[in-house]
Amino acid sequence: MIKKGDPTVLGTERIRKLLPNYTIPSIVAMTAVSLYNVVDSIFIGRGCGSLAIAGLAVTFPLMNLSAAFGAMVGVGSSTVIGVKMGQKDYDGAENVLGHVVMLNIAIGALFMIVCLTFLDPILMFFGASKDTLPYAHDYMQTLLYGNILTHLYLGLNDAIRATGYPKRAMAATLTAVFINILFNYIFILKMGLGIKGAAMGTLCAQFVAFSMNIFHFSRKSTFLRFKRKVFRLRRHYTKSVLSIGMSSFFANSCACLVVLLINNGLKKYGGDLYIGAYGISNRIVMIFAMIVMGLNQGAQPIISYNYGAGNFERFFKTYKLGAIVATLITTCAFIVGEFFPRSVVCLFAEEEELIEYACRGLRIMVCVFPLVGFQMMSVGFFTAIGKAKKAIFLSLTRQLVFLVPLLILIPMFMGTDGVWMSMPISDFLSVLTTGTLVFLQIRTFKLHPETLKPTV
């Protein structure tokens, strides 16, 4: 009989039962996070005004960059933990758990110091104007003071999921979301702290969730837990974590560059309201993208464990089912964005001009979105099996190789519409590239079973 929290169930339970057990908690958690982001924007938009929404949009690149460093550790470590458990190397998995803490403290502190030192020039570079800079500065400065906390909370949440406790990871995330919404209401609407109050609410919520994660890994009944000997960096584990997590780092850091180009393009050809329109439409699209990310997070431990155990049928079936569900999710985004854009955009803004800009942008952004779910799931698949170079390649082609040149060239001829259209064109080209790479990888596994041996 399998004990509660015993990760060996990843190698024995039926995939059709196992996948929902792991993905539903992750999807619920990521949906809650995306809905929080929506509520956060609603509080800021209605409590602080349209310029505050534009100021919030300006901070997206810097938040993406922070997330890039956090994801590098979180995704890399959770993958290595899953593979180690599949190999029955539980001491190795616990050592990687210690690296989650040590690496996040070191990287989070360095990022905080550098960004606080040069905050205003960074925000101006990312598209802030003299009107939106005060809002962007107040929001980002407050978040940066708690940057180490943010990295630790997210990294440990990934580790909880990877070690066989998806529902506890979900509970920590949901707790953070509900506390966040509560403090947003108090700090913004009751205390009048403005956009700074939104950032303060985020940090308060993350502290509570982080405390829950620490408690989980300190319990003797937990399958893998903190021990004094694991809090020491070892070169082999550090290299494995960072190399595998590099695909997530590049994906998020490229997203930073992309948002920078989008903000500056919209500012150049339109103005601050266009940046606000992108902030709104991006929030809506991210609801569905975050659901797919939750699906990816839930599938990752199953894929990693069974890849570590050399069980091709189980990890490929997990990926295939995940890709089908991801496609259904992104198809829902297409339906909402194309047929009901005004209904969702009106939640964020009251100014008719801003609403019109956001609706037009949203329709263009989602026109090929049904294909994006497969692409996102495939990047997660390559990451989960430790194929770091291929995951990095796919991350770079979608955003750096395809999207960045399009964002530079097309707006020269089409203005703001060119900025919006660059995104679906890049998505389509990326899907073609991803499909080719997945086909070649699966064929290699089938023709050469010896390639199933993990190297982490």
Side-chain angles (χ1 to χ4, degrees):
M1 182 176 179
I2 297 173
K3 299 182 294 182
K4 183 179 180 180
D6 186 347
T8 57
V9 69
L10 294 167
T12 57
E13 184 62 83
R14 288 190 308 115
I15 295 298
R16 287 187 177 273
K17 179 179 179 181
L18 189 64
L19 189 60
N21 287 342
Y22 269 73
T23 57
I24 289 175
S26 296
I27 289 172
V28 169
M30 295 304 286
T31 303
V33 170
S34 61
L35 290 176
Y36 157 71
N37 288 333
V38 169
V39 174
D40 192 35
S41 296
I42 292 172
F43 274 119
I44 292 172
R46 295 185 175 271
C48 308
S50 58
L51 282 176
I53 282 285
L56 179 66
V58 167
T59 67
F60 289 168
L62 193 52
M63 287 193 288
N64 282 337
L65 191 58
S66 175
F69 286 101
M72 179 171 61
V73 177
V75 173
S77 58
S78 60
T79 297
V80 177
I81 287 172
V83 172
K84 290 296 179 186
M85 291 195 304
Q87 296 171 328
K88 312 300 181 185
D89 181 6
Y90 301 123
D91 287 337
E94 283 188 332
N95 279 317
V96 177
L97 181 61
H99 282 62
V100 175
V101 176
M102 303 303 293
L103 289 173
N104 273 319
I105 290 175
I107 294 172
L110 182 61
F111 185 87
M112 175 187 69
I113 293 169
V114 172
C115 289
L116 284 173
T117 303
F118 304 102
L119 184 56
D120 282 358
I122 291 173
L123 292 174
M124 292 295 291
F125 180 69
F126 285 153
S129 67
K130 62 181 179 62
D131 295 320
T132 59
L133 180 61
Y135 296 103
H137 176 95
D138 286 350
Y139 186 79
M140 205 65 227
Q141 183 186 55
T142 306
L143 282 185
L144 285 169
Y145 285 136
N147 192 61
I148 297 175
L149 173 65
T150 301
H151 283 209
L152 285 172
Y153 151 59
L154 294 174
L156 289 175
N157 224 42
D158 285 339
I160 288 176
R161 192 179 301 106
T163 53
Y165 299 88
K167 292 182 179 178
R168 289 189 185 176
M170 177 187 70
T173 302
L174 290 178
T175 299
V177 168
F178 291 131
I179 291 177
N180 213 335
I181 293 173
L182 174 63
F183 276 104
N184 263 0
Y185 174 75
I186 294 172
F187 289 153
I188 297 176
L189 299 184
K190 292 298 182 181
M191 297 179 64
L193 295 178
I195 198 169
K196 184 180 290 186
M200 292 169 59
T202 296
L203 293 181
C204 290
Q206 288 177 352
F207 176 77
V208 174
F210 167 71
S211 301
M212 294 172 65
N213 292 343
I214 290 293
F215 176 74
H216 169 82
F217 283 117
S218 300
R219 299 173 63 188
K220 291 185 177 179
S221 59
T222 302
F223 192 84
L224 298 181
R225 59 185 182 273
F226 290 140
K227 297 175 183 176
R228 185 175 299 178
K229 66 179 182 179
V230 306
F231 295 108
R232 186 179 67 186
L233 293 178
R234 293 167 172 82
R235 183 176 179 180
H236 171 69
Y237 291 128
T238 300
K239 181 180 178 181
S240 294
V241 167
L242 297 183
S243 63
I244 292 173
M246 197 61 67
S247 65
S248 293
F249 171 79
F250 280 123
N252 283 279
S253 56
C254 284
C256 168
L257 175 61
V258 164
V259 176
L260 163 66
L261 291 174
I262 290 173
N263 283 345
N264 281 300
L266 292 174
K267 180 181 177 182
K268 178 180 179 180
Y269 297 104
D272 286 336
L273 277 185
Y274 279 90
I275 296 178
Y278 171 68
I280 292 171
S281 56
N282 188 52
R283 288 291 197 195
I284 296 168
V285 168
M286 283 303 296
I287 293 175
F288 299 93
M290 293 283 271
I291 295 173
V292 177
M293 289 171 62
L295 179 67
N296 245 327
Q297 287 182 348
Q300 180 267 319
I302 306 172
I303 295 172
S304 295
Y305 185 98
N306 286 286
Y307 178 66
N311 194 327
F312 170 80
E313 293 298 329
R314 286 181 64 82
F315 76 72
F316 178 61
K317 185 175 182 179
T318 302
Y319 160 70
K320 185 167 62 174
L321 287 174
I324 293 171
V325 175
T327 300
L328 294 175
I329 293 167
T330 51
T331 300
C332 291
F334 169 80
I335 293 171
V336 171
E338 292 294 340
F339 300 105
F340 310 103
R342 191 175 183 87
S343 299
V344 287
V345 168
C346 284
L347 295 173
F348 299 86
E350 297 175 332
E351 298 179 32
E352 186 61 31
E353 190 177 11
L354 179 58
I355 292 171
E356 289 299 322
Y357 294 157
C359 287
R360 180 169 179 79
L362 181 59
R363 283 195 178 99
I364 298 173
M365 286 176 68
V366 301
C367 65
V368 298
F369 218 63
L371 305 175
V372 173
F374 161 74
Q375 199 275 342
M376 292 179 66
M377 196 69 197
S378 298
V379 173
F381 168 70
F382 281 114
T383 302
I385 63 174
K387 301 296 182 183
K389 292 181 181 179
K390 293 181 180 179
I392 291 170
F393 173 75
L394 291 178
S395 298
L396 291 179
T397 51
R398 183 188 182 197
Q399 300 191 82
L400 193 63
V401 177
F402 296 141
L403 185 52
V404 168
L406 291 170
L407 283 170
I408 295 171
L409 295 175
I410 299 181
M412 293 180 182
F413 305 97
M414 301 182 64
T416 55
D417 278 355
V419 177
W420 298 116
M421 290 188 66
S422 300
M423 291 177 259
I425 295 173
S426 171
D427 288 338
F428 180 74
L429 294 174
S430 180
V431 168
L432 294 179
T433 305
T434 301
T436 302
L437 210 58
V438 169
F439 172 77
L440 293 174
Q441 182 64 66
I442 298 303
R443 188 176 68 171
T444 298
F445 281 150
K446 290 181 177 180
L447 296 178
H448 305 282
E450 67 276 8
T451 60
L452 290 168
K453 185 177 181 181
T455 57
V456 299

